[in-house]
């Protein structure tokens, strides 16, 4: 999808979505795309059917002041920022928790967690410094039906998002842990289906 359209989708995201819409994508081992190899990606659905999100487990070597010196308070932010994805790498995206929906445009990804790239919202967050705040340089995006095709092709596991995953501070082991969790759950489901099928066959046999 064209990067300008994805940028527009994030900027005008409704702050009052009816339900949180966050999911976590876990790249399957062997995913060839270097942009997403061994990544965990928080994603949400835009109004036009596009999918946008941020990579959770790729720390960026740059400081916030280097990436976005125009943001008030950027030079004072000393926490690690993350590489959110290959789209518009110089644009800052914030993931944060709030008890009430923000005034600025944002996606609600969990009951009290939001994703925004609105500059005023990010500057307010830099001034307030909430404990649950993650900043990303750039973001990830898929055109309508593109991600579904990648999932059908076997590129991704899909898991429900949770605070424990998206706000985890040490992300070094996040990918292998979630691969193990997702592949184990998938194997269990397949086993249950086989067992259920065997039981059904036995009962139905004359």
């Amino acid at each position: 999808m064209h990067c300008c359209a994805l940028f527009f989708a994030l900027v005008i995201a409704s702050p009052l979505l009816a339900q949180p819409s966050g999911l976590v994508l876990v790249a399957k081992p062997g995913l060839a795309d270097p942009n997403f190899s061994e990544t965990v990606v928080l994603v949400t659905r835009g109004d036009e059917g596009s999918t946008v999100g941020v990579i959770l487990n790729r720390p960026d070597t740059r400081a916030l002041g280097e990436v976005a010196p125009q943001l008030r308070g950027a030079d004072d932010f000393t926490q690690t920022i993350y590489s959110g994805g290959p789209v518009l790498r110089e644009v800052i995206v914030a993931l944060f928790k709030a008890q009430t929906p923000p005034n600025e445009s944002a996606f609600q990804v969990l009951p009290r967690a939001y994703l925004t790239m609105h500059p005023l919202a990010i500057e307010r967050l830099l001034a307030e410094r909430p404990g649950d705040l993650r900043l990303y340089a750039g973001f990830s995006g898929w055109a309508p039906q593109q991600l579904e095709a990648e999932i059908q092709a076997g590129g991704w596991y899909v898991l429900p998002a949770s605070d424990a995953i998206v706000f985890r501070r040490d992300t070094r082991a996040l990918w292998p842990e979630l691969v193990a969790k997702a592949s184990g759950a998938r194997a269990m489901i397949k086993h249950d289906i086989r067992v259920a099928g065997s039981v059904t066959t036995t009962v139905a046999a004359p």
Side-chain angles (χ1 to χ4, degrees):
M1 186 178 187
H2 194 279
C3 63
C4 290
L6 288 168
F7 179 89
F8 186 70
L10 269 176
V11 168
I12 66 169
S14 170
L16 298 173
L17 294 177
Q19 295 292 335
S21 58
L23 292 172
V24 169
L25 304 177
V26 182
K28 290 188 177 181
L31 182 67
D33 187 344
N35 289 315
F36 295 107
S37 176
E38 299 187 0
T39 59
V40 178
V41 190
L42 171 65
V43 296
T44 188
R45 186 60 60 92
D47 292 337
E48 302 301 321
S50 60
T51 303
V52 294
V54 290
I55 297 172
L56 298 174
N57 64 326
R58 278 193 178 168
D60 199 303
T61 58
R62 300 169 296 174
L64 179 61
E66 296 177 61
V67 181
Q70 75 281 3
L71 290 175
R72 286 180 296 176
D75 289 335
D76 298 325
F77 188 83
T78 58
Q79 297 179 26
T80 299
I81 67 171
Y82 292 80
S83 175
V87 182
L88 299 177
R89 297 177 188 269
E90 305 306 312
V91 170
I92 300 300
V93 182
L95 172 67
F96 63 99
K97 293 185 75 172
Q99 294 300 316
T100 58
N103 294 325
E104 301 85 3
S105 299
F107 286 109
Q108 186 177 14
V109 293
L110 286 167
R112 288 181 294 277
Y114 300 86
L115 197 64
T116 185
M117 64 187 305
H118 197 293
L120 293 179
I122 294 173
E123 289 183 343
R124 176 177 52 78
L125 291 165
L126 289 174
E128 295 175 355
R129 298 292 177 89
D132 291 314
L133 171 64
R134 301 289 182 274
L135 297 181
Y136 303 87
F139 59 95
S140 305
W142 291 262
Q145 304 304 314
Q146 181 184 358
L147 180 57
E148 288 82 351
E150 292 183 13
I151 293 171
Q152 288 295 322
W156 300 94
Y157 294 116
V158 182
L159 295 174
S162 68
D163 286 352
I165 292 175
V166 305
F167 289 108
R168 178 164 165 168
R169 289 195 175 275
D170 186 351
T171 62
R172 288 174 293 182
L174 183 60
W175 179 74
E177 288 178 12
L178 292 184
V179 166
K181 177 180 179 179
S183 59
R186 187 180 181 89
M188 185 175 297
I189 290 171
K190 287 183 176 180
H191 172 74
D192 290 345
I193 291 173
R194 286 197 298 269
V195 170
S198 299
V199 170
T200 301
T201 300
T202 302
V203 172

